[in-house]
Amino acid sequence: MRNIKLLLLLAAAMLPSLAMAQKFEGLAKTPQLGWNSWNKFGCNVSEQLIRETADAMVSSGMKAAGYQYINIDDCWHGERDARGFIHPNKEHFPSGMKALADYVHSKGLKLGIYSDAGWKTCGGKPGSRGYEYQDALTYAEWGIDYLKYDWCNTNGLKAEGAYLTMREALRKAGRPVLFSICEWGDNQPWEWAKDVGHSWRTTGDIYNCFDCVHDHGTWKSWGVLQILDKQDGLREHAGADHWNDMDMLEVGNGMSINEDRAHFSMWAMLASPLIAGNDLRTMSKETAAILTNRPVIAVNQDGLGVQAFRHSARDGVEFWLKPMTDGAWAFVALNRNAEARKASFDWKSESIRDPLSRRELDARQASYTLHDLWKNAAAGTTRRAFTMEIPGHDVVMVKLTPR
Ligand code: GLA
């Protein structure tokens, strides 16, 4: 009896050390909104760029529209010191990361950084393999709020274990950090990462084109439509605090305004993180208007947290629907063709059911008002068929509100 008691006591004492910590809950109840340096600047990152981008995020109205994170991607690194601590590149970050985080925080924004689970990042800089706890501690001391964690040079590593290790390290360091998993969907993160990170990339890198595949030889990057098509079957895995990440935005990087609008709309509909990837300091009014369209952002940020589904397609025009709070829906007609198309959607003769959210849009039973989110104009009701003329590579996007 005594022995059993002793054993029980011993087991109880061991429990806390065996128990795994959890990720920082609640940091991405809705998909994260921010900016990242990679798509436009690649390895040309500096404290000056980051400061100016933080300024521009405020002056452009993006902060007011909800964007929060300024994320430095690959190549900020200098060397590890003799004790193994990582330091930023001295030439490009002369004031150090703590001073930069203080500056970004003084603007009411948050600072993100990038590392890699392997021994080197994709850009050949020092990775975190073997230094996870030390790096997490360093980031916490600097005041970092977001970590994008990449997957280059990880031979022999198991993804789930490697990302768990970094989750534990961040937790131990104690500063809440949004953990953005980036292993390109290679290890089906949607099956294991719900409690590990706040979002996971579902595909390889985006390429700045609407409909193309860019072959780099040993790997490929993907246009907007190609990434969209790779989301099939993934919507059931996403929700508050664990999102399917369709990669950073190319809005403002050279596609046409129509294409940028369609790209932004689809990322909003599929509840992907919206991380701008353009030069915020010099962007055109048209680009800023896309990135700050609040009703479209509200579709992305809707509290129900359910991704849109492809309802049907006709003649290269796809109809997508996203159930929203208070019985509302968002609707997109996406024209994949390069030429304009006329389309019509007769609410009353369509069966619109979503088994995932158990929601139904039955226009014979209830009537909804339509609001065009890009024209910002009333667009009738569901009593009549909705007719559209959609330019090539563009969308019509409306919100339906029950009357
Ligand atoms: C990978 C990632 C990109 C970017 C680069 C940086 O390709 O998927 O998003 O972070 O590495 O080298």
Side-chain angles (χ1 to χ4, degrees):
M1 185 65 181
R2 228 173 153 212
N3 279 349
I4 291 177
K5 259 192 187 164
L6 213 74
L7 252 157
L8 281 176
L9 267 174
L10 204 73
M14 279 174 70
L15 261 182
S17 60
L18 289 177
M20 297 268 274
Q22 290 182 338
K23 76 178 188 190
F24 290 101
E25 305 268 355
L27 295 182
K29 283 188 182 147
T30 58
Q32 61 265 33
L33 300 172
W35 173 90
N36 173 295
S37 53
W38 184 255
N39 283 355
K40 177 73 186 176
F41 298 98
C43 270
N44 291 322
V45 286
S46 67
E47 63 178 47
Q48 193 187 345
L49 170 69
I50 298 305
R51 281 170 190 256
E52 290 175 4
T53 300
D55 294 348
M57 190 169 266
V58 177
S59 63
S60 64
M62 282 181 68
K63 179 184 177 224
Y67 293 84
Q68 212 183 358
Y69 292 98
I70 303 279
N71 296 343
I72 317 170
D73 207 276
D74 205 349
C75 303
W76 56 266
H77 319 66
E79 300 299 324
R80 293 193 183 280
D81 64 25
R83 292 183 305 149
F85 286 101
I86 187 76
H87 295 274
N89 178 296
K90 277 205 192 83
E91 200 187 317
H92 297 135
F93 295 87
S95 319
M97 284 296 176
K98 172 93 178 65
L100 190 54
D102 288 346
Y103 184 80
V104 170
H105 293 153
S106 78
K107 298 270 155 182
L109 298 168
K110 294 184 168 171
L111 185 63
I113 213 164
Y114 161 102
S115 189
D116 188 291
W119 66 287
K120 274 190 176 181
T121 70
C122 299
K125 306 296 173 189
S128 288
R129 184 169 185 176
Y131 295 93
E132 293 89 351
Y133 281 75
Q134 214 172 347
D135 285 354
L137 204 63
T138 304
Y139 303 155
E141 278 168 6
W142 288 344
I144 300 293
D145 308 294
Y146 187 118
L147 176 65
K148 171 174 166 184
Y149 204 47
D150 214 341
W151 191 240
C152 278
N153 306 302
T154 50
N155 289 355
L157 283 185
K158 209 171 163 270
E160 183 175 358
Y163 283 94
L164 263 175
T165 303
M166 193 39 122
R167 180 196 79 178
E168 296 294 294
L170 292 169
R171 189 78 212 196
K172 192 88 178 174
R175 182 180 172 87
V177 170
L178 191 155
F179 192 27
S180 154
I181 295 173
C182 175
E183 53 70 83
W184 320 307
D186 283 2
N187 306 273
Q188 293 74 47
W190 42 88
E191 302 203 330
W192 49 261
K194 178 169 186 266
D195 298 319
V196 182
H198 299 89
S199 63
W200 50 78
R201 282 271 299 276
T202 55
T203 68
D205 289 3
I206 192 167
Y207 193 73
N208 186 23
C209 70
F210 194 71
D211 186 8
C212 80
V213 178
H214 190 77
D215 197 338
H216 303 259
T218 51
W219 59 290
K220 291 188 175 110
S221 49
W222 311 94
V224 165
L225 289 183
Q226 284 67 30
I227 289 192
L228 181 64
D229 292 344
K230 288 173 182 289
Q231 308 307 311
D232 252 12
L234 299 186
R235 67 189 287 265
E236 67 192 71
H237 300 287
D241 246 6
H242 56 282
W243 306 103
N244 286 316
D245 177 356
M246 296 163 72
D247 203 358
M248 302 160 312
L249 298 166
E250 292 284 11
V251 174
N253 280 344
M255 280 187 278
S256 72
I257 293 293
N258 309 65
E259 293 171 335
D260 275 354
R261 183 166 40 233
H263 169 29
F264 192 71
S265 302
M266 296 318 296
W267 266 232
M269 287 290 276
L270 274 77
S272 173
L274 297 178
I275 307 290
N278 59 317
D279 189 342
L280 303 188
R281 303 167 304 178
T282 56
M283 67 181 157
S284 68
K285 277 197 187 121
E286 290 84 359
T287 297
I290 291 175
L291 290 172
T292 57
N293 183 319
R294 291 187 192 213
V296 174
I297 294 173
V299 169
N300 174 263
Q301 296 287 300
D302 182 71
L304 201 61
V306 178
Q307 278 186 214
F309 58 92
R310 191 191 272 114
H311 171 269
S312 52
R314 288 190 284 276
D315 193 21
V317 176
E318 294 180 356
F319 303 104
W320 289 76
L321 281 136
K322 181 182 199 284
M324 294 172 66
T325 44
D326 299 329
W329 292 79
F331 167 86
V332 161
L334 165 68
N335 182 6
R336 299 174 68 111
N337 306 287
E339 309 79 32
R341 283 284 187 281
K342 288 193 170 123
S344 164
F345 196 85
D346 185 6
W347 310 98
K348 286 191 173 166
S349 62
E350 299 286 351
S351 156
I352 304 171
R353 283 209 184 92
D354 177 24
L356 180 64
S357 62
R358 297 203 197 90
R359 286 272 306 276
E360 182 172 9
L361 194 172
D362 185 349
R364 283 165 306 241
Q365 300 288 325
S367 164
Y368 298 76
T369 50
L370 271 49
H371 192 82
D372 186 315
L373 300 188
W374 286 112
K375 288 190 183 143
N376 189 19
T381 74
T382 48
R383 292 207 181 122
R384 295 162 129 235
F386 185 47
T387 54
M388 302 151 261
E389 168 133 17
I390 320 162
H393 291 177
D394 204 339
V395 290
V396 167
M397 182 168 186
V398 297
K399 182 174 174 187
L400 292 93
T401 311
R403 279 144 71 88

